[in-house]
Amino acid sequence: MVGIFSLVTGWPGQSGYGSASTAEQVTAGIDASNLTAVITGGASGIGAETARVFALRGAHVIIAARNMELANEAKKLILSSNQTARVDAMKLDLSSLKSVRSFADNFIATGLPLNILINNAGVMFCPYQLSADGVEMQFATNHLGHFYLTNLLLDKMKKTAKETGIEGRIVNLSSVAHLHTYDEGIQFDGISDQTRYNDKKAYGQSKLANILHANELSRRLQEEGANITVNSVHPGIIMTNLMRHSFLLMKVLKIFTYIFWKNVPQGAATTCYVALHPSLKGTMGKYYIDCNEMKPSIFARDEKLAKKLWDFSELLVKSAQ
Ligand SMILES: NC(=O)c1ccc[n+]([C@@H]2O[C@H](COP(=O)([O-])OP(=O)(O)OC[C@H]3O[C@@H](n4cnc5c(N)ncnc54)[C@H](OP(=O)(O)O)[C@@H]3O)[C@@H](O)[C@H]2O)c1
């Protein structure tokens, strides 16, 4: 109830921020000039606004996108309002593990440090489709590509954190839609089974996987004593290109539920807060909505499920190579 009240009114929660807070507001006064960040899907929507605000705070931003034309446009747009911004665009298609590997290789070859990884890119409610590696598209793009990317960039992040003494941060963009998944949470015995495919549940499943991934990685990094935190967020409901497969449905839904919707600057606030705010130092394995910690679903809090998903994802990556 408190969550819905603050969502509708914008009333700030414990953090001092709420649903009405924008990415600029939650990062006001933060100096990110010593940070380098990779933002997947940074060419549009929430990712583009996250990239703009990171650059505004002085961070070196790498927009990782599958469409280089859009990525270069997003870069140009940032530079048009901030001539000193440090922004680069690099090719990444998360639905192809080969492309993920080549992005990671290219990024590492630049010699840049890496402090922050925002696993933001995503697709929603697409008709049944297989990725380049033969995996159902929403699971492949939203979870598996990010799982592999994170693993490939982890050594670089650990090294950066060690050399600079600055805490590294990974943020996974999940969704409240993680509550609406298949009966068993993750359909391990038929992840790409077309006969059981439901576009809404497949999206929910992939967003559940984003939280489970963050939690299991967080546990592993803590065990290792690595100076890197991992958390997941629900950004709110925002009209973006994400709705391309459900545009009419969302337009109609918005008429009846407009009080629950955010604009893009508000939609990027929770990501920016979790990635940059000093009050979150050392915080890991948590889930945030409207810049405040919330409890995710029972499945999302299931440590055994998180471990099982990790092993399953590792196997999928291995079998694709
Ligand atoms: N908007 C919401 O209401 C909402 C709610 C909850 C959670 N989220 C989450 O927030 C994140 C950002 O979504 P958004 O609303 O900002 O949507 P968006 O504007 O569509 O942004 C998603 C980005 O991901 C990119 N992408 C898709 N498939 C990719 C692939 N295979 N490889 C690399 N990049 C790929 C898209 O690139 P293209 O332009 O090339 O497609 C786009 O730039 C998503 O993870 C989404 O699940 C959004």
Side-chain angles (χ1 to χ4, degrees):
M1 265 324 265
V2 176
I4 292 181
F5 174 77
S6 56
L7 172 64
V8 174
T9 59
W11 198 263
Q14 264 199 330
S15 67
Y17 304 111
S19 63
S21 305
T22 64
E24 282 201 27
Q25 286 166 348
V26 305
T27 58
I30 293 176
D31 176 10
S33 58
N34 53 353
L35 303 178
T36 302
V38 167
I39 302 173
T40 71
S44 69
I46 298 164
E49 176 65 0
T50 303
R52 184 187 74 78
V53 173
F54 267 58
L56 185 70
R57 300 298 171 227
H60 184 171
V61 174
I62 287 88
I63 294 174
R66 63 175 164 179
N67 182 333
M68 287 308 284
E69 220 173 285
L70 277 185
N72 284 318
E73 266 173 39
K75 175 181 167 177
K76 240 194 243 167
L77 202 65
I78 293 173
L79 287 167
S80 68
S81 61
N82 175 4
Q83 277 101 31
T84 56
R86 293 178 296 154
V87 196
D88 288 305
M90 286 177 70
K91 172 97 180 156
L92 166 69
D93 182 350
L94 286 154
S95 68
S96 153
L97 296 176
K98 198 170 151 215
S99 169
V100 173
R101 156 69 71 185
S102 95
F103 170 85
D105 288 348
N106 291 337
F107 177 78
I108 287 160
T110 63
L112 286 168
L114 184 59
N115 306 93
I116 297 177
L117 172 62
I118 309 288
N119 288 324
N120 162 84
V123 286
M124 183 174 83
F125 302 168
C126 40
Y128 182 82
Q129 209 182 330
L130 291 177
S131 72
D133 307 290
V135 178
E136 184 281 311
M137 190 56 94
Q138 299 194 68
F139 188 80
T141 305
N142 301 353
H143 167 65
L144 197 65
H146 281 127
F147 172 83
Y148 190 41
L149 176 72
T150 307
N151 280 353
L152 292 174
L153 295 177
L154 213 49
D155 276 345
K156 170 58 82 180
M157 289 194 77
K158 285 180 195 167
K159 192 165 175 266
T160 303
K162 208 169 191 180
E163 284 173 4
T164 60
I166 301 170
E167 178 183 86
R169 291 191 186 179
I170 300 171
V171 181
N172 279 5
L173 269 279
S174 176
S175 168
V176 75
H178 80 273
L179 292 159
H180 184 63
T181 182
Y182 294 107
D183 290 347
E184 60 274 56
I186 307 283
Q187 229 170 228
F188 291 110
D189 65 343
I191 203 72
S192 307
D193 183 350
Q194 186 168 10
T195 61
R196 284 193 275 165
Y197 185 67
N198 173 300
D199 59 351
K200 314 284 183 301
K201 289 185 178 177
Y203 179 68
Q205 169 181 256
S206 72
K207 293 287 119 183
L208 169 64
N210 291 147
I211 303 180
L212 292 170
H213 171 222
N215 292 352
E216 175 63 14
L217 178 58
S218 176
R219 193 191 62 72
R220 286 169 182 248
L221 290 171
Q222 212 164 7
E223 210 170 79
E224 263 183 59
N227 188 18
I228 300 172
T229 67
V230 197
N231 293 289
S232 45
V233 305
H234 164 63
I237 309 175
I238 308 106
M239 191 56 82
T240 64
N241 290 341
L242 190 72
M243 318 295 177
R244 69 184 69 166
H245 298 292
S246 54
F247 190 65
L248 263 183
L249 175 74
M250 289 301 170
K251 275 276 178 203
V252 173
L253 195 70
K254 194 173 176 185
I255 295 171
F256 299 105
T257 58
Y258 68 95
I259 47 170
F260 297 117
W261 290 66
K262 290 180 174 183
N263 57 37
V264 172
Q266 293 167 339
T270 307
T271 303
C272 290
Y273 172 73
V274 173
L276 294 178
H277 206 277
S279 68
L280 263 74
K281 192 167 177 5
T283 303
M284 53 207 305
K286 305 288 187 208
Y287 172 66
Y288 289 83
I289 302 181
D290 299 335
C291 303
N292 285 282
E293 191 193 327
M294 296 283 160
K295 219 188 226 186
S297 70
I298 294 177
F299 277 139
R301 284 178 275 139
D302 185 333
E303 288 177 16
K304 276 195 195 134
L305 189 64
K307 167 92 181 69
K308 191 170 173 185
L309 175 67
W310 185 281
D311 295 342
F312 180 73
S313 307
E314 267 188 340
L315 267 180
L316 276 180
V317 169
K318 245 185 225 156
S319 62
Q321 282 163 347

Tab-separated table of all heavy atoms in Angstrom, residues 248-283:
chain	number	residue	atom	x	y	z
A	248	LEU	N	-0.327	-0.999	-28.914
A	248	LEU	CA	-1.753	-0.661	-28.745
A	248	LEU	C	-2.226	-0.995	-27.341
A	248	LEU	O	-2.875	-0.190	-26.669
A	248	LEU	CB	-2.583	-1.428	-29.776
A	248	LEU	CG	-2.940	-0.642	-31.036
A	248	LEU	CD1	-3.820	-1.478	-31.940
A	248	LEU	CD2	-3.625	0.688	-30.680
A	249	LEU	N	-1.834	-2.204	-26.896
A	249	LEU	CA	-2.211	-2.658	-25.551
A	249	LEU	C	-1.742	-1.645	-24.502
A	249	LEU	O	-2.486	-1.259	-23.601
A	249	LEU	CB	-1.570	-4.032	-25.294
A	249	LEU	CG	-1.736	-4.618	-23.899
A	249	LEU	CD1	-3.153	-5.123	-23.704
A	249	LEU	CD2	-0.747	-5.772	-23.668
A	250	MET	N	-0.490	-1.176	-24.650
A	250	MET	CA	0.090	-0.250	-23.674
A	250	MET	C	-0.569	1.127	-23.746
A	250	MET	O	-0.785	1.769	-22.732
A	250	MET	CB	1.601	-0.123	-23.898
A	250	MET	CG	2.353	-1.362	-23.510
A	250	MET	SD	2.085	-1.775	-21.761
A	250	MET	CE	2.829	-3.372	-21.690
A	251	LYS	N	-0.885	1.569	-24.962
A	251	LYS	CA	-1.558	2.864	-25.142
A	251	LYS	C	-2.901	2.840	-24.412
A	251	LYS	O	-3.255	3.786	-23.701
A	251	LYS	CB	-1.788	3.131	-26.639
A	251	LYS	CG	-0.592	3.766	-27.307
A	251	LYS	CD	-0.614	5.274	-27.109
A	251	LYS	CE	0.606	5.920	-27.727
A	251	LYS	NZ	0.952	7.205	-27.188
A	252	VAL	N	-3.660	1.743	-24.591
A	252	VAL	CA	-4.973	1.624	-23.951
A	252	VAL	C	-4.792	1.531	-22.435
A	252	VAL	O	-5.462	2.222	-21.662
A	252	VAL	CB	-5.731	0.381	-24.501
A	252	VAL	CG1	-7.027	0.149	-23.731
A	252	VAL	CG2	-6.002	0.540	-25.991
A	253	LEU	N	-3.818	0.698	-22.022
A	253	LEU	CA	-3.548	0.521	-20.589
A	253	LEU	C	-3.197	1.859	-19.933
A	253	LEU	O	-3.637	2.162	-18.819
A	253	LEU	CB	-2.385	-0.468	-20.434
A	253	LEU	CG	-2.177	-1.046	-19.052
A	253	LEU	CD1	-3.306	-2.012	-18.715
A	253	LEU	CD2	-0.837	-1.791	-18.970
A	254	LYS	N	-2.450	2.664	-20.675
A	254	LYS	CA	-1.983	3.950	-20.108
A	254	LYS	C	-3.157	4.895	-19.828
A	254	LYS	O	-3.122	5.671	-18.874
A	254	LYS	CB	-0.965	4.613	-21.055
A	254	LYS	CG	-0.208	5.739	-20.368
A	254	LYS	CD	0.908	6.307	-21.181
A	254	LYS	CE	1.518	7.494	-20.439
A	254	LYS	NZ	2.526	8.169	-21.209
A	255	ILE	N	-4.205	4.795	-20.652
A	255	ILE	CA	-5.375	5.661	-20.448
A	255	ILE	C	-5.975	5.398	-19.065
A	255	ILE	O	-6.350	6.313	-18.340
A	255	ILE	CB	-6.433	5.409	-21.561
A	255	ILE	CG1	-5.863	5.834	-22.914
A	255	ILE	CG2	-7.745	6.133	-21.246
A	255	ILE	CD1	-6.723	5.429	-24.102
A	256	PHE	N	-6.017	4.098	-18.677
A	256	PHE	CA	-6.656	3.745	-17.403
A	256	PHE	C	-5.698	3.782	-16.220
A	256	PHE	O	-6.121	3.791	-15.075
A	256	PHE	CB	-7.288	2.341	-17.525
A	256	PHE	CG	-8.343	2.264	-18.583
A	256	PHE	CD1	-8.091	1.638	-19.795
A	256	PHE	CD2	-9.577	2.881	-18.398
A	256	PHE	CE1	-9.059	1.589	-20.786
A	256	PHE	CE2	-10.554	2.836	-19.382
A	256	PHE	CZ	-10.297	2.197	-20.585
A	257	THR	N	-4.401	3.759	-16.521
A	257	THR	CA	-3.441	3.645	-15.405
A	257	THR	C	-2.416	4.786	-15.440
A	257	THR	O	-1.325	4.635	-14.907
A	257	THR	CB	-2.684	2.297	-15.494
A	257	THR	OG1	-2.019	2.236	-16.769
A	257	THR	CG2	-3.581	1.097	-15.341
A	258	TYR	N	-2.798	5.920	-16.066
A	258	TYR	CA	-1.800	6.976	-16.313
A	258	TYR	C	-1.106	7.451	-15.036
A	258	TYR	O	0.048	7.866	-15.067
A	258	TYR	CB	-2.426	8.144	-17.077
A	258	TYR	CG	-3.439	8.923	-16.272
A	258	TYR	CD1	-3.076	10.064	-15.577
A	258	TYR	CD2	-4.770	8.498	-16.193
A	258	TYR	CE1	-3.999	10.758	-14.812
A	258	TYR	CE2	-5.685	9.181	-15.437
A	258	TYR	CZ	-5.309	10.306	-14.742
A	258	TYR	OH	-6.214	10.988	-13.984
A	259	ILE	N	-1.789	7.357	-13.898
A	259	ILE	CA	-1.164	7.855	-12.660
A	259	ILE	C	0.054	7.019	-12.242
A	259	ILE	O	0.855	7.449	-11.429
A	259	ILE	CB	-2.153	7.946	-11.471
A	259	ILE	CG1	-2.966	6.663	-11.366
A	259	ILE	CG2	-3.033	9.175	-11.545
A	259	ILE	CD1	-3.783	6.589	-10.096
A	260	PHE	N	0.173	5.810	-12.796
A	260	PHE	CA	1.298	4.945	-12.419
A	260	PHE	C	2.513	5.132	-13.334
A	260	PHE	O	3.556	4.540	-13.110
A	260	PHE	CB	0.887	3.469	-12.457
A	260	PHE	CG	-0.193	3.121	-11.469
A	260	PHE	CD1	-1.431	2.670	-11.897
A	260	PHE	CD2	0.029	3.249	-10.105
A	260	PHE	CE1	-2.430	2.348	-10.984
A	260	PHE	CE2	-0.962	2.931	-9.189
A	260	PHE	CZ	-2.196	2.486	-9.629
A	261	TRP	N	2.358	5.897	-14.413
A	261	TRP	CA	3.432	5.978	-15.410
A	261	TRP	C	4.432	7.080	-15.080
A	261	TRP	O	4.078	8.097	-14.481
A	261	TRP	CB	2.844	6.199	-16.813
A	261	TRP	CG	2.133	4.984	-17.325
A	261	TRP	CD1	0.995	4.424	-16.817
A	261	TRP	CD2	2.514	4.151	-18.426
A	261	TRP	NE1	0.638	3.296	-17.531
A	261	TRP	CE2	1.547	3.115	-18.526
A	261	TRP	CE3	3.561	4.178	-19.348
A	261	TRP	CZ2	1.616	2.125	-19.510
A	261	TRP	CZ3	3.613	3.195	-20.326
A	261	TRP	CH2	2.655	2.177	-20.396
A	262	LYS	N	5.662	6.859	-15.505
A	262	LYS	CA	6.719	7.856	-15.299
A	262	LYS	C	7.183	8.365	-16.657
A	262	LYS	O	6.985	7.696	-17.677
A	262	LYS	CB	7.941	7.196	-14.654
A	262	LYS	CG	7.791	6.763	-13.224
A	262	LYS	CD	9.128	6.156	-12.814
A	262	LYS	CE	9.195	5.796	-11.373
A	262	LYS	NZ	10.521	5.292	-10.998
A	263	ASN	N	7.896	9.486	-16.647
A	263	ASN	CA	8.571	9.912	-17.871
A	263	ASN	C	9.995	9.326	-17.870
A	263	ASN	O	10.422	8.722	-16.870
A	263	ASN	CB	8.572	11.441	-18.028
A	263	ASN	CG	9.224	12.129	-16.843
A	263	ASN	OD1	10.195	11.620	-16.292
A	263	ASN	ND2	8.701	13.272	-16.440
A	264	VAL	N	10.715	9.495	-18.978
A	264	VAL	CA	12.038	8.853	-19.096
A	264	VAL	C	13.053	9.364	-18.046
A	264	VAL	O	13.754	8.553	-17.428
A	264	VAL	CB	12.575	8.963	-20.547
A	264	VAL	CG1	14.015	8.488	-20.632
A	264	VAL	CG2	11.698	8.138	-21.490
A	265	PRO	N	13.147	10.687	-17.802
A	265	PRO	CA	14.083	11.143	-16.751
A	265	PRO	C	13.787	10.519	-15.385
A	265	PRO	O	14.703	10.213	-14.615
A	265	PRO	CB	13.872	12.664	-16.733
A	265	PRO	CG	13.411	13.000	-18.122
A	265	PRO	CD	12.559	11.839	-18.536
A	266	GLN	N	12.510	10.300	-15.086
A	266	GLN	CA	12.160	9.616	-13.824
A	266	GLN	C	12.500	8.124	-13.924
A	266	GLN	O	12.935	7.513	-12.949
A	266	GLN	CB	10.660	9.786	-13.527
A	266	GLN	CG	10.258	11.217	-13.215
A	266	GLN	CD	8.743	11.429	-13.246
A	266	GLN	OE1	7.993	10.651	-13.849
A	266	GLN	NE2	8.284	12.500	-12.601
A	267	GLY	N	12.304	7.575	-15.136
A	267	GLY	CA	12.572	6.145	-15.344
A	267	GLY	C	14.037	5.774	-15.179
A	267	GLY	O	14.370	4.641	-14.843
A	268	ALA	N	14.928	6.756	-15.418
A	268	ALA	CA	16.368	6.469	-15.285
A	268	ALA	C	16.880	6.743	-13.871
A	268	ALA	O	18.050	6.469	-13.566
A	268	ALA	CB	17.152	7.308	-16.299
A	269	ALA	N	16.012	7.272	-13.009
A	269	ALA	CA	16.464	7.693	-11.676
A	269	ALA	C	16.973	6.527	-10.819
A	269	ALA	O	18.045	6.622	-10.201
A	269	ALA	CB	15.341	8.427	-10.955
A	270	THR	N	16.222	5.427	-10.796
A	270	THR	CA	16.607	4.334	-9.888
A	270	THR	C	17.943	3.715	-10.317
A	270	THR	O	18.805	3.420	-9.481
A	270	THR	CB	15.488	3.272	-9.789
A	270	THR	OG1	14.277	3.947	-9.435
A	270	THR	CG2	15.780	2.235	-8.724
A	271	THR	N	18.134	3.546	-11.631
A	271	THR	CA	19.413	3.024	-12.131
A	271	THR	C	20.561	3.943	-11.685
A	271	THR	O	21.586	3.475	-11.164
A	271	THR	CB	19.420	2.980	-13.682
A	271	THR	OG1	18.329	2.188	-14.128
A	271	THR	CG2	20.719	2.392	-14.205
A	272	CYS	N	20.384	5.251	-11.920
A	272	CYS	CA	21.454	6.208	-11.598
A	272	CYS	C	21.700	6.263	-10.096
A	272	CYS	O	22.858	6.342	-9.648
A	272	CYS	CB	21.100	7.602	-12.145
A	272	CYS	SG	21.170	7.660	-13.940
A	273	TYR	N	20.631	6.184	-9.324
A	273	TYR	CA	20.766	6.201	-7.866
A	273	TYR	C	21.575	4.992	-7.391
A	273	TYR	O	22.546	5.120	-6.642
A	273	TYR	CB	19.364	6.199	-7.237
A	273	TYR	CG	19.360	6.023	-5.740
A	273	TYR	CD1	19.761	7.059	-4.897
A	273	TYR	CD2	18.960	4.812	-5.163
A	273	TYR	CE1	19.766	6.886	-3.512
A	273	TYR	CE2	18.959	4.641	-3.792
A	273	TYR	CZ	19.357	5.682	-2.968
A	273	TYR	OH	19.376	5.506	-1.606
A	274	VAL	N	21.192	3.813	-7.869
A	274	VAL	CA	21.859	2.586	-7.412
A	274	VAL	C	23.303	2.530	-7.917
A	274	VAL	O	24.197	2.043	-7.224
A	274	VAL	CB	21.040	1.331	-7.850
A	274	VAL	CG1	21.773	0.044	-7.537
A	274	VAL	CG2	19.678	1.330	-7.155
A	275	ALA	N	23.546	3.072	-9.101
A	275	ALA	CA	24.907	3.018	-9.669
A	275	ALA	C	25.839	4.073	-9.092
A	275	ALA	O	27.048	3.832	-9.004
A	275	ALA	CB	24.831	3.183	-11.189
A	276	LEU	N	25.300	5.217	-8.701
A	276	LEU	CA	26.198	6.339	-8.355
A	276	LEU	C	26.084	6.874	-6.933
A	276	LEU	O	27.003	7.533	-6.452
A	276	LEU	CB	25.960	7.511	-9.325
A	276	LEU	CG	26.338	7.299	-10.794
A	276	LEU	CD1	25.986	8.535	-11.609
A	276	LEU	CD2	27.828	6.976	-10.955
A	277	HIS	N	24.977	6.614	-6.263
A	277	HIS	CA	24.783	7.319	-4.986
A	277	HIS	C	25.716	6.782	-3.895
A	277	HIS	O	25.804	5.574	-3.689
A	277	HIS	CB	23.330	7.219	-4.523
A	277	HIS	CG	22.945	8.362	-3.649
A	277	HIS	ND1	23.214	8.397	-2.295
A	277	HIS	CD2	22.367	9.549	-3.941
A	277	HIS	CE1	22.801	9.546	-1.797
A	277	HIS	NE2	22.273	10.262	-2.765
A	278	PRO	N	26.406	7.689	-3.179
A	278	PRO	CA	27.349	7.232	-2.141
A	278	PRO	C	26.675	6.492	-0.985
A	278	PRO	O	27.310	5.669	-0.328
A	278	PRO	CB	28.005	8.530	-1.635
A	278	PRO	CG	27.215	9.651	-2.202
A	278	PRO	CD	26.440	9.147	-3.369
A	279	SER	N	25.380	6.742	-0.759
A	279	SER	CA	24.709	6.092	0.376
A	279	SER	C	24.568	4.574	0.159
A	279	SER	O	24.276	3.841	1.093
A	279	SER	CB	23.333	6.710	0.623
A	279	SER	OG	22.480	6.384	-0.444
A	280	LEU	N	24.788	4.122	-1.069
A	280	LEU	CA	24.651	2.678	-1.338
A	280	LEU	C	25.984	1.935	-1.283
A	280	LEU	O	26.052	0.757	-1.671
A	280	LEU	CB	23.971	2.438	-2.689
A	280	LEU	CG	22.469	2.183	-2.526
A	280	LEU	CD1	21.736	3.469	-2.202
A	280	LEU	CD2	21.896	1.554	-3.756
A	281	LYS	N	27.010	2.592	-0.788
A	281	LYS	CA	28.324	1.950	-0.703
A	281	LYS	C	28.205	0.622	0.069
A	281	LYS	O	27.642	0.574	1.165
A	281	LYS	CB	29.301	2.889	0.004
A	281	LYS	CG	30.740	2.442	-0.114
A	281	LYS	CD	31.683	3.545	0.326
A	281	LYS	CE	33.136	3.187	0.321
A	281	LYS	NZ	33.582	1.932	-0.173
A	282	GLY	N	28.699	-0.442	-0.525
A	282	GLY	CA	28.699	-1.744	0.143
A	282	GLY	C	27.375	-2.485	0.095
A	282	GLY	O	27.279	-3.624	0.547
A	283	THR	N	26.355	-1.865	-0.501
A	283	THR	CA	25.038	-2.518	-0.559
A	283	THR	C	24.987	-3.471	-1.748
A	283	THR	O	25.290	-3.070	-2.865
A	283	THR	CB	23.926	-1.454	-0.721
A	283	THR	OG1	24.029	-0.539	0.359
A	283	THR	CG2	22.556	-2.092	-0.746
